[in-house]
Amino acid sequence: SSPHLVQVRERIRINGQPISKDLFNKYFWLVYNRLEETKDPAHASMPAYFRFLTIMAFHVFLQEKVDLAVVEVGIGGTYDCTNIIRAPVVCGVSSLGIDHTSILGDTMEKIAWQKGGIFKPGVPAFTVAQPERPLEVLRERAQERKVSWWWGVDGGVPRGRGLSLLSPQCPLYLCPELDDFEEGFQALELGLAGAHQRSNAALALQLARTWLQRRGCQGLGELKEVPPSTELLRRAVPVAPAFRLTDAMIQGLRDTEWLGRTQVLSHGPVTWYLDGAHTTSSIQACVRWFRQAALNQDKPHDGSEVRVLLFNATGDRDTAALLKLLVPCHFDYAVFCPNFTEVSVANNADQQNFNVTLENALTRCLENQRTWTRLREEKVGQDPWLPSPLRVGALLQPAPARGFLLLVPPAPRPLNSPALVFPCLAQALRWVAQGRDPQLAAPASSGAHAHPAASSGAVLLREAAAVRVLVTGSLHLVGGALRLLDPSLSQ
């Protein structure tokens, strides 16, 4: 899987656990040295970072003799370096979104074409409910898979390559809604929060059952005679039947954990909500989750509540579109910083990014700050309940009544949402926590940010009964935050 959050070993897991440091070290140098010895002298270059780790992952799985390898595509599918598996057991495509447009294309149809590149002749594929045109593209891509190359086997010994016409195409199915699995039973409990995880769970069930069938496992839940929802019936792609879940499947859905996705860390009065959303669709899902997990919580009786957004985005993403979706959460402060844990990353090789300089990253943060300020001003102009903010330089200064508004927040809540920029995650997190999170040191008394908005905000953060912080916009940002908030992940 990719990317990793804290340590690169997270990308290669066996039985759910990142491989050990010793195992990673062993296989890294084995693969590296073999490639170094055999590379073409005329084109003496090693595979790039992701390609190298993909080669290494395949080698680890082969050498460790795993029964099943689950391989997540890096970007797209058609041209991704993971797409060298000739005959996977099953393929899955989750909900499509606009991302990596410079590589995959700027429309859902173009992205669907790239995703459908993982389909293989005769290999069943599953997807979830998609918009009509992208789903049609996936169906066309599945039908294109007319022939397949295979390695003939005689008594376990390869006997050459041949052409197979036994499977005319890739059979593509839509997953039924998770509701269809729950018919007549108690609602399923998912370990991952958020309504969008229900379609992911339905896809996981179909992929798992296909593998178990292939292995000839007994005791699989029988197919259910439950008609799929009307919406799915209208689709051009056939709907796979739901089936009765086994106890192991129900437990698997309940026990699923994935760091950095709808994750909540409660550290005393400071609660961190972490979600690596970085597309419009995933940010929308993140907002729905955050509203349910944080904004609907009972307000503290003995004081104020402060809401903070910690945001960064990378690559060619439309940051303004992402930030606009976050405005309705009514944050008191918006904090922007690069994905660098510290200003100096010399001692943290797992989170170095040689493609982005600190200067470029900070420039992006300043642009995000200006965008957020503009979006807030537009919101104020549209909403008569919101008072006009007072300007101080390029940032927003809290209005004189700011403290009172925190103690007795009316509805809708009048906010000024000052926007601050910090040079690294450590400084940003320390400012937000103000010494109230035992995992983070208190900010320097001189203050890393001398602006009046930062000074007044520090007072409010220190006095608030509850501080709720949403960290989102980038998985790398979430990973850096996790490294500081949960030091055990670096062990």
Side-chain angles (χ1 to χ4, degrees):
S1 63
S2 63
H4 63 273
L5 294 176
V6 179
Q7 296 193 73
V8 67
R9 297 182 295 112
E10 299 165 23
R11 296 177 181 239
I12 306 174
R13 298 170 181 256
I14 296 179
N15 292 336
Q17 298 301 314
I19 60 175
S20 67
K21 292 182 179 180
D22 289 342
L23 212 57
F24 186 93
N25 186 59
K26 168 188 171 182
Y27 286 121
F28 176 91
W29 287 114
L30 193 153
V31 173
Y32 184 92
N33 290 334
R34 184 64 58 86
L35 291 172
E36 184 70 30
E37 294 165 3
T38 58
K39 67 184 180 184
D40 183 353
H43 305 281
S45 61
M46 295 288 280
Y49 184 81
F50 184 83
R51 292 186 179 187
F52 180 90
L53 289 173
T54 301
I55 296 168
M56 179 177 162
F58 285 137
H59 187 71
V60 169
F61 294 150
L62 288 168
Q63 294 299 309
E64 296 297 312
K65 297 179 173 56
V66 300
D67 300 295
L68 165 67
V70 181
V71 180
E72 182 199 23
V73 172
I75 295 179
T78 299
Y79 305 116
D80 191 78
C81 66
T82 59
N83 195 27
I84 63 170
I85 305 171
R86 289 196 179 110
V89 173
V90 62
C91 297
V93 175
S94 59
S95 182
L96 297 172
I98 297 291
D99 197 16
H100 302 293
T101 54
S102 61
I103 300 173
L104 305 181
D106 55 2
T107 68
M108 291 280 278
E109 290 79 8
K110 292 177 182 177
I111 291 172
W113 188 92
Q114 296 281 359
K115 301 283 187 180
I118 67 171
F119 297 157
K120 301 294 185 292
V123 175
F126 295 89
T127 189
V128 297
Q130 310 280 9
E132 184 175 353
R133 274 300 301 145
L135 182 62
E136 179 66 18
V137 172
L138 288 177
R139 186 180 70 85
E140 293 169 356
R141 291 288 273 163
Q143 291 179 335
E144 290 171 3
R145 297 297 180 260
K146 299 291 185 185
V147 297
S148 66
W149 287 99
W150 53 275
W151 285 92
V153 176
D154 184 6
V157 179
R159 56 176 173 78
R161 192 167 62 171
L163 192 62
S164 170
L165 295 174
L166 297 178
S167 302
Q169 62 188 43
C170 163
L172 176 65
Y173 302 95
L174 268 173
C175 294
E177 303 286 357
L178 200 60
D179 295 354
D180 295 333
F181 292 93
E182 297 173 333
E183 189 73 23
F185 293 91
Q186 186 176 354
L188 292 168
E189 181 183 347
L190 302 185
L192 297 179
H196 58 290
Q197 296 295 353
R198 291 181 64 81
S199 69
N200 289 338
L203 179 60
L205 288 171
Q206 295 289 355
L207 300 180
R209 191 177 197 277
T210 303
W211 163 250
L212 292 170
Q213 281 182 309
R214 174 75 170 267
R215 289 291 297 268
C217 293
Q218 302 299 316
L220 293 179
E222 68 273 17
L223 300 180
K224 295 172 62 176
E225 298 297 330
V226 177
S229 62
T230 306
E231 173 64 23
L232 289 180
L233 280 174
R234 289 200 293 263
R235 306 285 187 174
V237 176
V239 180
F243 51 89
R244 300 190 188 279
L245 304 186
T246 65
D247 291 342
M249 292 175 177
I250 294 172
Q251 180 182 350
L253 293 177
R254 183 177 61 245
D255 295 346
T256 297
E257 296 179 351
W258 201 256
L259 296 179
R261 277 77 165 178
T262 59
Q263 182 181 2
V264 180
L265 292 176
S266 296
H267 291 183
V270 185
T271 305
W272 305 90
Y273 300 84
L274 303 109
D275 190 76
H278 50 271
T279 66
T280 52
S281 57
S282 61
I283 287 287
Q284 287 171 333
C286 172
V287 167
R288 289 193 294 268
W289 161 72
F290 180 67
R291 284 178 174 237
Q292 182 177 4
L295 304 191
N296 290 338
Q297 297 294 313
D298 292 336
K299 300 299 181 289
H301 299 294
D302 56 346
S304 60
E305 172 188 284
V306 178
R307 304 171 192 161
V308 181
L309 170 66
L310 178 56
F311 180 91
N312 191 39
T314 59
D316 55 3
R317 296 179 176 91
D318 184 352
T319 306
L322 303 183
L323 289 174
K324 187 173 183 178
L325 296 171
L326 291 160
V327 169
C329 289
H330 300 307
F331 292 103
D332 300 298
Y333 295 94
V335 176
F336 304 96
C337 71
N339 294 338
F340 301 118
T341 307
E342 306 279 355
V343 174
S344 172
V345 294
N347 297 322
N348 183 22
D350 287 86
Q351 294 183 315
Q352 286 193 34
N353 186 345
F354 295 103
N355 297 318
V356 180
T357 65
L358 178 59
E359 182 180 3
N360 290 339
L362 281 172
T363 299
R364 181 79 175 262
C365 291
L366 291 169
E367 292 172 354
N368 292 340
Q369 179 195 46
R370 287 192 289 269
T371 299
W372 181 261
T373 302
R374 175 178 56 80
L375 289 170
R376 288 298 307 150
E377 288 175 339
E378 292 174 357
K379 182 68 175 176
V380 168
Q382 297 167 4
D383 194 335
W385 290 92
L386 296 177
S388 298
L390 303 178
R391 278 197 169 278
V392 180
L395 297 173
L396 296 176
Q397 169 73 7
R402 186 67 184 80
F404 171 78
L405 294 175
L406 270 175
L407 291 170
V408 189
R413 177 186 177 118
L415 302 174
N416 294 316
S417 211
L420 308 172
V421 173
F422 290 89
C424 67
L425 260 165
Q427 290 190 19
L429 294 182
R430 289 192 198 106
W431 180 81
V432 171
Q434 287 298 313
R436 306 180 72 188
D437 186 328
Q439 297 291 356
L440 300 170
S445 57
S446 59
H449 207 303
H451 198 279
S455 302
S456 58
V459 174
L460 293 172
L461 289 165
R462 284 195 295 268
E463 296 178 351
V467 179
R468 307 192 190 279
V469 190
L470 175 62
V471 184
T472 192
S474 165
L475 276 168
H476 301 286
L477 179 77
V478 167
L482 275 172
R483 180 173 179 267
L484 295 168
L485 296 172
D486 187 355
S488 67
L489 296 175
S490 299
Q491 302 306 312

